[in-house]
Amino acid sequence: MGYFEEIGKRIGHVSKSAVKKAAAIADGAGLSMQINGLERERDRICRDLGAAYFARHGTAPEPELAELCCAAAQKTAEIEALKQRLQRLKNQKLCPACGFTNPRENCYCSKCGSKLPEIFEDGAPEAGAPCGDSASAQDAAD
């Protein structure tokens, strides 16, 4: 009987140890999740802070931030250029006033009525008629 009692005690001891380790792992995972959540919140706040600073002082930043503001402005210009290329590929124009996506041939926004910018390709004005006069320009070309 002593043999089985000893095995029972060992199994009980191992079980208690496993439960303690599992609890420690669960506690650690919970703390890690809290840390990650707080880090994400802090990163969002820092991003918003940087965006607010750039919006207010991007063209005249403090000297120690000038390089970062310049880099942000360059990336913004690159992003806008790529967005314009994507709009051309999709035959669309984006309204600068309201952000609505319009067909490329529109001269005015279908949503807010604002004048849409002309589309330039390779630095030259778009070929074809000026806005609102496509038929007469086509006849003149023939």
Side-chain angles (χ1 to χ4, degrees), residues 4 13 63 76 92-93 97 103:
F4 290 115
H13 178 70
T76 299
Q92 298 173 336
K93 288 183 184 177

Side-chain angles (χ1 to χ4, degrees), residues 52-64:
Y53 180 88
F54 182 70
R56 289 190 185 138
H57 307 288
T59 58
E62 295 177 24
E64 62 270 11

Side-chain angles (χ1 to χ4, degrees), residues 22-38:
I25 290 171
D27 289 344
L31 290 173
S32 291
M33 287 175 49
Q34 285 180 331
I35 290 168
N36 288 337
L38 291 171

Side-chain angles (χ1 to χ4, degrees), residues 5-86:
E5 287 177 9
E6 183 65 30
I7 290 177
K9 286 180 184 178
R10 286 187 182 176
I11 290 173
H13 178 70
V14 169
S15 297
K16 287 179 186 177
S17 177
V19 167
K20 285 182 183 179
K21 287 181 182 180
I25 290 171
D27 289 344
L31 290 173
S32 291
M33 287 175 49
Q34 285 180 331
I35 290 168
N36 288 337
L38 291 171
E39 286 176 338
R40 280 193 304 274
E41 286 181 45
R42 181 205 54 208
D43 291 348
R44 182 194 52 79
I45 291 167
C46 288
R47 184 188 66 236
D48 293 347
L49 178 63
Y53 180 88
F54 182 70
R56 289 190 185 138
H57 307 288
T59 58
E62 295 177 24
E64 62 270 11
L65 299 175
E67 188 175 327
L68 289 173
C69 285
C70 181
Q74 287 174 341
K75 293 301 174 192
T76 299
E78 289 176 29
I79 289 167
E80 289 306 313
L82 291 173
K83 283 182 178 179
Q84 288 175 5
R85 284 180 56 196
L86 182 60

